[in-house]
């Protein structure tokens, strides 16, 4: 308006050229300004769009992170739960460990006590009992070249072993008492009493019948008892045979100890009776009498050796033998004099081993004379037969004894 | 370790089956020409091995495989049917758990009896009685007849005697399977000291631990033959295989 008033001053209703130029310059300037502003706006709008996109991306990230956070939270809760569980388990285990430690302590103490006890008991008797029976130096030189299972057997204290066998036999049979042994003597004594009273009436005419009966029964009793126990000697000690290797003959020989003891006691009694009757034989007949006893021992040994191995195979042999003994008691002239038998039968009776022994012993002890050489013949034949046959059987079958037990 | 203590060379052993083993006079008289049945069981079939001086050999095998027969052959209780066994020194066997006692005798008498038969001089056996009873923890029962003993007590006494009587070579059948913990540890201790002293030993056992812990070498027998010989570990392995296999009857034909 102000410009209009100026123009009005120069030329009413018209602008001067200077005014127009000035206005045009002004207008151009303004247009440039507007252009600049428009450019700015465009620029800002573009920046705004970019930012908006960024915000969107960030928002997405935030959502994602939130989700992840939730997952992790659940995991943490789970871990917390397992930690609690493990803690509980740990507590239990530590209790168990303490208990076990206590048990271990107790066991260790027991072990120590045992050890002390062992040393206390082992030490005083022998410092090192194990090394004492050392290997003999000569055995260390070479591998033996002989096939000898026998060499496996330990070297024995034969006497000690035999004595132990005899002593324990006696202990088992008579309960280790003298009373028990005396009771065992009662049976033959009673038999002598009965037979003496019955048969001495029958054989009243026979001289010295009672003394002959006494000699007969004493020897017969030894034969019967000795052969019975000898036959069963291996069978009765089966538990020892299967346990260790030692000469089995020890068992056979020592089994005759108790019958021998009985024989000795009766022989002493017999000699006492003879002495009381004033009929004790002289030294030579007496020696002959003991010779007869020795022969009987040899015969019994033969029977014992032979039958001890056979009975392992034929287990009823001892019953058979009992029958044989029953008959043999009357086959041998125990209760009757041989002179009571008809002459032609006598040689047959001599085939029964005890017969010859009885006749020989009677001639010596009661007849008080050394029997003629001819009388010793059958005796020696019987001894040779019995020992020979018995030992042959034994040598053949004894090595396999353990297999038949 | 100089030379061998035991040499077993192609040893075979067969037994007549029980029904053919024992006859009666009655049968023999009634059927004189009937020979005892010929059925025999081949227990060992040409077995060969050797044991060095001072060595401890373990023997494994299933029940009925021939282990005990082998020990009895080595001890001289049985004779081989064929082959030969050479032994340098005297053998102390510890066999058949618990048997070997006279049931009516007390511990002292039994110890004297078995001790002297195993080779102890009588005087030495007498002197050793307290020690033997102590080892078996049976001092209180010294005068009790063996028939009143429990099987465990009887077995303890047996080992006690044999360990004391031990000579050059010791044969042990299932030694560590007996007794309570205390007795077993005493046995193991005695065993170790015997081993240290240079004794030759043969140990029969079903227990892999015994074979592994106590033996220098081992072998396993089955169906009368040696199935494997060598290190204890290898033998134990073979034994366990055998045990896992078919029963013995099936393997016997092999």
């Amino acid at each position: 308006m102000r410009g209009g008033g100026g123009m009005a001053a120069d030329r009413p209703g018209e602008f001067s050229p200077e005014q127009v130029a000035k206005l045009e310059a002004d207008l151009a300037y303004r247009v440039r300004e507007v252009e600049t502003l428009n450019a700015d706006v465009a620029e800002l709008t573009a920046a705004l769009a970019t930012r908006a996109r960024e915000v969107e991306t960030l928002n997405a990230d935030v959502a994602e992170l939130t989700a992840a956070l939730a997952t992790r939270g659940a995991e943490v809760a789970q871990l917390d739960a397992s930690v609690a569980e493990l803690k509980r388990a740990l507590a239990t285990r530590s209790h168990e460990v303490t208990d076990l430690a206590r048990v271990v302590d107790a066991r260790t103490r027991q072990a120590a006590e045992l050890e002390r006890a062992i040393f206390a008991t082992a030490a005083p008797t022998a410092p090192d009992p194990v090394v004492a029976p050392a290997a003999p130096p000569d055995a260390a030189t070479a591998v033996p070249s002989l096939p000898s299972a026998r060499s496996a057997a330990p070297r024995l204290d034969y006497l000690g072993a035999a004595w132990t066998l005899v002593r324990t036999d006696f202990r088992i049979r008579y309960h280790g008492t003298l009373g028990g042994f005396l009771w065992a003597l009662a049976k033959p004594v009673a038999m002598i009493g009965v037979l003496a009273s019955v048969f001495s009436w029958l054989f009243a005419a026979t001289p010295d019948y009672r003394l002959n009966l006494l000699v007969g029964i004493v020897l017969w009793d030894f034969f019967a008892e000795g052969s019975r126990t000898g036959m069963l000697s291996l069978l009765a000690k089966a538990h020892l045979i299967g346990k260790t290797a030692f000469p089995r003959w020890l068992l056979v020989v020592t089994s005759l100890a108790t019958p021998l003891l009985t024989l000795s006691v009766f022989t002493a009694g017999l000699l006492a009776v003879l002495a009381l009757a004033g009929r004790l034989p002289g030294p030579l007949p007496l020696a002959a009498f003991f010779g007869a006893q020795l022969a009987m021992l040899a015969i019994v040994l033969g029977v014992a050796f032979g039958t001890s191995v056979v009975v392992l195979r034929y287990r009823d042999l001892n019953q058979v033998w009992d029958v044989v003994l029953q008959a043999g008691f009357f086959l041998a002239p125990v209760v009757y004099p041989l002179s009571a038998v008809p002459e032609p039968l006598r040689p047959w009776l001599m085939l029964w081993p005890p017969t010859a022994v009885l006749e020989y012993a009677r001639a010596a002890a009661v007849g008080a004379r050394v029997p003629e050489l001819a009388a010793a013949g059958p005796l020696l034949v019987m001894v040779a037969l019995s020992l020979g046959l018995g030992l042959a059987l034994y040598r053949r079958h004894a090595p396999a004894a353990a297999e038949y037990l | 370790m100089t030379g061998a203590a035991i040499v077993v060379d192609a040893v075979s052993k067969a037994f007549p089956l029980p029904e053919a083993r024992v006859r009666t006079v009655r049968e023999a008289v009634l059927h004189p020409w009937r020979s005892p049945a010929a059925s025999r069981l081949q227990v060992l079939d040409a077995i060969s091995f050797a044991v060095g001086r001072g060595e401890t050999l373990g023997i494994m095998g299933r029940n009925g495989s021939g282990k005990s027969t082998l020990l009895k052959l080595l001890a001289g209780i049985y004779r081989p049917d064929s082959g030969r066994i050479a032994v340098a020194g005297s053998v102390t066997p510890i066999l058949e758990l618990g048997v070997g006692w006279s049931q009516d005798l007390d511990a002292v008498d039994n110890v004297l009896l078995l001790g002297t038969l195993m080779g102890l001089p009588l005087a030495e056996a007498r002197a050793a009685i307290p020690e033997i009873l102590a080892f078996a923890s049976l001092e209180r029962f010294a005068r009790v007849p063996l028939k009143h003993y429990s099987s465990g007590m009887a077995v303890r006494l047996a080992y006690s005697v044999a360990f004391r009587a031990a000579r050059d070579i010791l044969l042990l059948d299932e030694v560590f399977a007996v007794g309570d913990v205390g007795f077993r540890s005493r046995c193991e201790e005695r065993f170790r000291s015997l081993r240290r002293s240079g004794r030759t030993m043969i140990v029969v056992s079903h227990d892999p631990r015994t074979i592994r812990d106590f033996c220098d070498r081992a072998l396993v027998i089955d169906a009368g033959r040696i199935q494997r010989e060598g290190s204890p570990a290898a033998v134990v392995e073979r034994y366990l295989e055998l045990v896992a296999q078919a029963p013995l009857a099936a393997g016997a034909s092999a």
Side-chain angles (χ1 to χ4, degrees), chain B residues 45-160:
Chain B
D45 189 4
I47 293 248
S48 298
F49 66 93
V51 187
R53 201 174 293 278
E55 190 183 26
T56 300
L57 176 78
I59 297 180
M60 302 193 90
R62 293 183 281 172
N63 287 328
S65 59
K67 304 181 302 283
S68 297
T69 301
L70 181 57
L71 282 195
K72 286 195 170 183
L73 284 166
L74 292 174
I77 294 170
Y78 291 162
R79 290 278 172 103
D81 294 339
S82 64
R84 44 171 228 134
I85 296 174
V87 178
S90 54
V91 175
T92 306
I94 306 186
L95 309 170
E96 295 191 300
L97 309 176
V99 306
W101 298 122
S102 307
Q103 297 294 321
D104 290 321
L105 295 175
D106 62 30
V108 170
D109 283 335
N110 263 303
V111 166
L112 289 177
L113 193 54
L114 194 61
T116 49
L117 290 180
M118 281 189 156
L120 280 179
L122 182 57
E124 198 182 325
R126 274 218 184 88
I129 282 175
E131 180 197 332
I132 288 168
L133 291 174
F135 188 82
S137 315
L138 290 170
E139 297 99 322
R140 284 170 50 218
F141 307 101
R143 286 297 172 190
V144 175
L146 260 287
K147 62 184 164 198
H148 300 306
Y149 270 44
S150 74
S151 56
M153 289 158 81
V155 171
R156 263 164 31 215
L157 192 61
Y159 281 115
S160 214

Side-chain angles (χ1 to χ4, degrees), chain A residues 114 118-119 121-122 125-126 128-136 139-157 159-161 163-165 167-169 171-172 237 239-246 248 250-251 311-317 320 399-405, chain B residues 2-4 7 13 15-16 21-26 28 53 72-79 84-91 93 95-96 98-102 104-106 109 112-114 116-124 126 130-131 134 139 143 158 164 166-168 182 186 190 193-194 197 199:
Chain A
L114 271 173
I118 291 161
F119 283 120
T121 47
T125 42
D128 188 357
V130 164
V131 188
T141 48
V143 181
S145 52
L146 283 172
S148 53
R150 204 178 289 164
S151 75
R155 294 165 299 278
L156 272 193
D157 168 12
L159 271 181
W163 169 244
T164 312
L165 278 167
R167 212 176 52 93
T168 48
D169 247 9
R171 188 160 278 187
I172 290 170
K237 296 284 195 308
H239 54 280
L240 292 173
I241 290 175
K243 187 86 175 172
T244 182
F246 59 92
R248 319 294 191 209
L250 262 180
L251 296 179
V311 77
L312 299 181
R313 258 157 250 228
Y314 300 97
R315 290 295 169 90
D316 58 349
L317 183 64
V320 174
E403 290 159 38
Y404 285 87
L405 290 170
Chain B
T2 54
V7 177
K13 183 76 192 169
F15 288 104
R21 200 178 301 176
V22 175
R23 300 181 78 200
T24 58
V25 175
R26 196 179 66 86
R53 201 174 293 278
K72 286 195 170 183
L73 284 166
L74 292 174
I77 294 170
Y78 291 162
R79 290 278 172 103
R84 44 171 228 134
I85 296 174
V87 178
S90 54
V91 175
L95 309 170
E96 295 191 300
V99 306
W101 298 122
S102 307
D104 290 321
L105 295 175
D106 62 30
D109 283 335
L112 289 177
L113 193 54
L114 194 61
T116 49
L117 290 180
M118 281 189 156
L120 280 179
L122 182 57
E124 198 182 325
R126 274 218 184 88
E131 180 197 332
E139 297 99 322
R143 286 297 172 190
R164 183 61 184 77
R167 301 290 207 82
D168 318 322
R186 264 173 287 166
R190 180 63 64 95
S193 77
L194 284 168
S197 72
R199 299 290 201 289

Side-chain angles (χ1 to χ4, degrees), chain A residues 22-184:
Chain A
K22 196 179 169 198
L23 279 171
E24 275 177 350
D26 200 26
L27 182 64
Y29 177 73
R30 289 292 156 85
V31 168
R32 273 201 307 277
E33 262 188 2
V34 167
E35 270 171 14
T36 314
L37 283 171
N38 274 347
D40 281 356
V41 165
E43 204 172 318
L44 283 170
T45 309
L48 186 65
T50 313
R51 289 292 144 80
R53 273 200 303 280
E54 278 181 12
V55 166
E56 260 168 42
T57 314
L58 285 171
N59 275 343
D61 281 359
V62 166
E64 206 172 313
L65 284 170
T66 311
L69 185 65
T71 317
R72 291 291 141 82
E75 281 176 14
V76 166
Q78 222 167 329
L79 285 171
D80 275 346
S82 39
V83 164
E85 207 171 313
L86 285 170
K87 272 184 186 159
R88 274 198 302 281
L90 184 64
T92 319
R93 290 290 141 86
S94 55
H95 282 312
E96 285 176 11
V97 167
T98 351
D99 286 348
L100 281 171
R102 241 175 267 135
V103 173
V104 167
D105 264 3
R107 290 287 145 87
T108 315
R109 270 198 303 281
Q110 283 176 2
E113 271 163 39
L114 271 173
E115 209 166 304
R116 269 198 301 282
I118 291 161
F119 283 120
T121 47
T125 42
D128 188 357
V130 164
V131 188
D138 58 325
T141 48
V143 181
S145 52
L146 283 172
S148 53
R150 204 178 289 164
S151 75
R155 294 165 299 278
L156 272 193
D157 168 12
Y158 283 97
L159 271 181
W163 169 244
T164 312
L165 278 167
V166 167
R167 212 176 52 93
T168 48
D169 247 9
F170 186 84
R171 188 160 278 187
I172 290 170
R173 194 173 305 195
Y174 306 121
H175 307 287
T177 61
L178 189 62
F181 178 60
L182 290 179
W183 274 115

Side-chain angles (χ1 to χ4, degrees), chain A residues 205-386:
Chain A
T206 313
D208 296 326
Y209 176 76
R210 287 176 191 222
L211 281 178
N212 278 319
L213 179 68
L214 192 57
V215 172
I217 286 187
V218 165
L219 280 169
W220 172 262
D221 186 64
F222 174 69
F223 177 75
E225 276 307 303
S227 58
R228 266 199 206 104
T229 53
M231 173 184 296
L232 297 176
S233 57
L234 295 183
L235 205 54
K237 296 284 195 308
H239 54 280
L240 292 173
I241 290 175
K243 187 86 175 172
T244 182
F246 59 92
R248 319 294 191 209
W249 58 260
L250 262 180
L251 296 179
V252 181
V253 171
T254 55
S255 74
L256 297 183
T258 41
L260 259 180
L261 186 66
T262 315
L263 176 66
S264 317
V265 170
F266 277 125
T267 303
L270 175 68
L271 293 180
V273 168
L274 286 172
L276 280 177
R279 312 233 341 226
L280 201 61
L284 279 181
L286 206 58
F289 175 59
F290 282 117
Q293 291 202 335
L294 262 183
M296 188 61 114
L297 175 61
I299 289 170
V300 170
L301 261 178
V303 172
F305 269 115
T307 56
S308 68
V309 287
V310 175
V311 77
L312 299 181
R313 258 157 250 228
Y314 300 97
R315 290 295 169 90
D316 58 349
L317 183 64
N318 66 329
Q319 277 124 302
V320 174
W321 186 246
D322 269 346
V323 175
V324 171
L325 284 178
Q326 199 79 48
F329 178 73
F330 294 101
L331 214 56
V334 179
V335 292
Y336 58 89
L338 196 60
S339 55
V341 179
E343 184 78 48
L345 278 180
R346 284 181 206 170
W348 293 105
L349 286 185
M350 290 302 260
L351 289 180
W352 178 227
T355 307
V357 183
L358 290 186
E359 284 306 292
Y360 194 92
R362 278 172 176 157
V366 183
R369 63 190 167 84
V370 178
E372 59 274 23
L373 234 56
L379 200 65
L380 292 177
V381 169
M382 283 304 153
V383 167
L385 265 179
S386 171

